[in-house]
């Protein structure tokens, strides 16, 4: 009987091995669909290209692809990874300036070896693209959704997994900058335009009896080191139009913090930069999220932060707080109309697998001469919206 059981275990692959093999198969088989590529390129050629000049910055932007190791026709699945392939295929064909993913590359609900594979696959696709890229960390990218459903407490991702799989590759590119080798604040420059990237999932990795002290999926925040780096970057930003990008919205339409920690301080800093003031950035917290910093924006010329762009909410919205436009872009992952977790916004799009509504993405064109930022959406996204910068 024991011999039979041993033989059975040897001949039957572990579920993780089975799933991992199928994931590899899915990923290797993923190709850009001609009808999707033609559609996205048509949006670029007809709507975006007439606005492109040597002075403008044009980006391809995706967010919340929530890749999972299943072939789903109703909700999330491997199709999020395919959208990255298709968007980057078009980016290469039209020579865009920059590819951006605003976070939640993965759903974070798969076994760790699978989630790591999905992250690696996404990064490799961006690396193969002609344009430089920046991949922001989302609140699902540390695989905490998987940890929530386990019956024993241990973290499925190690401290440096995400950084070694994703973050470090942002900064290996000559067009992407940061102040020091551990900074989580990056930036990209072209002419009079500066795009700054900030990590809204800057949560300390602290273990307590094997599990994480903070649930990365539920907690969003910005710590003092990022704010200090942001101050230094802005203090040395002279005569630039500045756009800031992150995964999650930092403040609500009423101006209250939309992060668990310090979203309001990021907003306060951006407003102080626009007002050319000096002062102190401080909160009443101690420990992991305490902040006490000085800043001086009196010598930044005519620089101004006009726009903060993010994803996370799985709908579209824009609002202005203290003269800064806050723009939320829609989820690129499939959200079928009949699924219980689909947002009302996406139910209205009636998104369907293998149709144009399956995907959602954007081209953003920033024109410093016309003082205009234009967003051209495709799939389950608003077709056009324009903002002054």
């Amino acid at each position: 009987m024991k011999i039979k059981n041993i033989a059975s275990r040897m001949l039957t692959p572990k579920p993780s091995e089975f799933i991992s093999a199928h994931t590899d198969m899915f990923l290797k088989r993923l190709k850009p669909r001609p009808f999707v590529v033609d559609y996205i390129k048509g949006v670029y050629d007809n709507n975006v290209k007439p606005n492109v000049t040597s002075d403008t910055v044009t980006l391809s932007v995706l967010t919340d692809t929530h890749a999972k190791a299943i072939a789903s026709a109703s909700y999330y699945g491997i199709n999020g990874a395919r959208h990255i392939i298709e968007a980057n295929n078009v980016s290469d064909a039209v020579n865009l300036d920059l590819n951006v993913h605003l976070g939640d590359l993965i759903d974070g609900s798969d076994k760790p070896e699978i989630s790591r594979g999905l992250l690696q696959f996404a990064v490799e696709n961006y690396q193969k693209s002609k344009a430089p890229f920046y991949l922001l960390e989302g609140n699902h990218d540390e695989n905490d959704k998987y940890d929530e459903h386990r019956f024993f407490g241990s973290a499925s991702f190690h401290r440096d997994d995400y950084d070694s799989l994703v973050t470090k590759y942002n900064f290996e590119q000559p067009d992407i900058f940061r102040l020091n080798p551990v900074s989580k604040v990056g930036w990209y420059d072209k002419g009079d335009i500066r795009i700054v990237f900030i990590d809204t999932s800057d949560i300390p990795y602290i273990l307590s009896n094997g599990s994480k002290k903070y649930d990365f999926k539920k907690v969003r925040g910005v710590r003092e080191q990022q704010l200090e780096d942001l101050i230094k970057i802005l203090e040395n930003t002279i005569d630039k139009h500045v756009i800031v990008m992150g995964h999650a919205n930092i403040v609500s339409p009423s101006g209250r913090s939309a992060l668990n920690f310090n979203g309001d301080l990021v907003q306060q800093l951006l407003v102080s930069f626009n007002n050319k003031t000096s002062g102190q950035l401080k909160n009443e917290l101690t420990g992991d999220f305490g902040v006490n910093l000085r800043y001086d924006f009196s010598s930044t010329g005519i620089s101004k932060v006009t726009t903060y762009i993010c994803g996370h909410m799985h709908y579209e919205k824009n609002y202005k707080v203290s003269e800064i436009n806050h723009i939320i872009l829609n989820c690129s992952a499939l959200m079928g109309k009949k699924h219980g977790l689909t947002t009302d916004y996406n139910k209205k799009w009636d998104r369907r697998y293998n149709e144009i509504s399956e995907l959602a993405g954007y081209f953003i064109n920033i024109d410093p001469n016309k003082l205009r930022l234009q967003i051209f959406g495709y799939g389950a996204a608003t077709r056009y919206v324009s903002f002054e910068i």
Side-chain angles (χ1 to χ4, degrees):
M1 191 64 156
K2 287 184 179 179
I3 294 174
K4 184 178 180 181
N5 288 340
I6 292 171
S8 177
R9 286 198 299 270
M10 291 177 64
L11 294 172
T12 304
K14 296 178 182 178
S16 61
E17 294 172 351
F18 179 78
I19 296 171
S20 184
H22 274 254
T23 304
D24 291 342
M25 181 182 69
F26 277 133
L27 296 177
K28 288 176 181 177
R29 290 173 57 190
L30 287 181
K31 305 293 181 185
R33 294 166 291 188
F35 83 94
V36 173
V37 171
D38 290 346
Y39 162 68
I40 298 174
K41 190 172 184 301
V43 171
Y44 176 85
D45 288 340
N46 295 324
N47 302 330
V48 185
K49 187 176 180 179
N51 299 279
V52 175
T53 71
S54 59
D55 293 330
T56 62
V57 174
T58 308
L59 300 80
S60 170
V61 181
L62 297 178
T63 187
D64 296 85
T65 42
H66 282 268
K68 278 180 60 64
I70 57 172
S72 173
S74 61
Y75 190 76
Y76 292 0
I78 209 72
N79 34 35
R82 194 200 300 270
H83 298 164
I84 291 173
I85 298 171
E86 291 162 344
N88 288 346
N89 182 284
V90 175
S91 174
D92 284 352
V94 301
N95 294 315
L96 293 187
D97 293 302
L98 183 67
N99 292 328
V100 176
H101 194 293
L102 294 176
D104 284 356
L105 279 162
I106 60 172
D107 188 49
S109 56
D110 287 315
K111 290 180 179 292
E113 62 271 22
I114 295 171
S115 289
R116 291 188 194 102
L118 290 168
L119 287 173
Q120 183 177 356
F121 173 82
V123 171
E124 288 175 352
N125 190 265
Y126 277 101
Q127 286 180 300
K128 292 174 184 175
S129 299
K130 296 177 183 176
F133 62 87
Y134 199 98
L135 311 178
L136 284 146
E137 182 170 2
N139 57 302
H140 282 260
D141 288 328
E142 291 278 354
N143 218 47
D144 284 28
K145 192 172 180 180
Y146 173 75
D147 296 344
E148 284 182 339
H149 298 294
R150 304 179 75 190
F151 295 106
F152 55 96
S154 64
S156 59
F157 265 31
H158 304 120
R159 181 187 303 275
D160 298 323
D161 280 358
Y162 181 84
D163 285 344
S164 63
L165 286 166
V166 183
T167 303
K168 77 170 189 176
Y169 295 105
N170 287 329
F171 300 106
E172 287 184 352
Q173 303 170 95
D175 294 305
I176 304 297
F177 304 95
R178 62 176 167 179
L179 291 177
N180 56 69
V182 296
S183 176
K184 290 191 173 186
V185 186
W187 76 91
Y188 166 88
D189 285 338
K190 180 184 175 184
D192 296 333
I193 299 166
R194 171 164 289 180
I195 301 174
V196 178
F197 306 99
I198 190 164
D199 179 6
T200 60
S201 295
D202 185 15
I203 311 303
Y205 187 103
I206 301 172
L207 295 182
S208 176
N209 296 320
S211 60
K212 292 176 185 172
K213 175 182 176 182
Y214 296 100
D215 185 331
F216 280 61
K217 184 176 77 69
K218 296 179 179 178
V219 180
R220 300 171 309 285
V222 175
R223 285 188 282 172
E224 185 176 67
Q225 185 61 59
Q226 270 206 104
L227 290 166
E228 184 176 0
D229 289 353
L230 182 59
I231 288 170
K232 290 178 182 177
I233 292 166
L234 292 176
E235 285 178 339
N236 290 285
T237 298
I238 314 298
D239 297 341
K240 297 278 190 183
H241 300 279
V242 183
I243 310 299
V244 181
M245 292 185 163
H247 173 65
N249 47 325
I250 54 173
V251 291
S252 67
S254 66
R256 299 185 64 178
S257 181
L259 303 181
N260 301 82
F261 299 100
N262 298 328
D264 53 336
L265 292 192
V266 179
Q267 170 75 9
Q268 181 183 327
L269 201 62
L270 302 183
V271 172
S272 297
F273 176 77
N274 289 348
N275 292 335
K276 313 300 172 192
T277 59
S278 303
Q280 186 176 23
L281 191 70
K282 187 176 182 179
N283 62 19
E284 301 302 319
L285 301 174
T286 58
D288 297 333
F289 296 98
V291 175
N292 188 358
L293 298 166
R294 305 289 305 184
Y295 59 85
D296 182 357
F297 299 132
S298 60
S299 302
T300 58
I302 60 172
S303 290
K304 186 177 182 181
V305 175
T306 61
T307 311
Y308 177 82
I309 299 175
C310 66
H312 179 62
M313 298 301 291
H314 297 196
Y315 56 63
E316 286 184 348
K317 191 170 186 175
N318 65 80
Y319 48 90
K320 186 172 284 192
V321 179
S322 299
E323 300 305 309
I324 297 174
N325 294 309
H326 290 260
I327 302 169
I328 302 172
L329 302 181
N330 192 29
C331 171
S332 187
L334 172 62
M335 302 186 78
K337 184 177 182 178
K338 296 181 180 180
H339 197 282
L341 295 178
T342 299
T343 58
D344 288 342
Y345 177 84
N346 281 289
K347 285 180 180 177
K348 292 177 182 177
W349 280 102
D350 192 12
R351 301 178 67 174
R352 301 189 182 197
Y353 178 70
N354 227 29
E355 295 183 8
I356 292 303
S357 62
E358 176 194 318
L359 57 150
Y362 303 85
F363 294 109
I364 297 179
N365 177 264
I366 308 165
D367 192 329
N369 300 321
K370 296 181 179 179
L371 301 179
R372 185 174 66 185
L373 182 149
Q374 300 176 96
I375 302 179
F376 303 87
Y378 56 84
T382 298
R383 295 297 177 257
Y384 179 76
V385 62
S386 177
F387 301 89
E388 290 184 6
I389 62 169

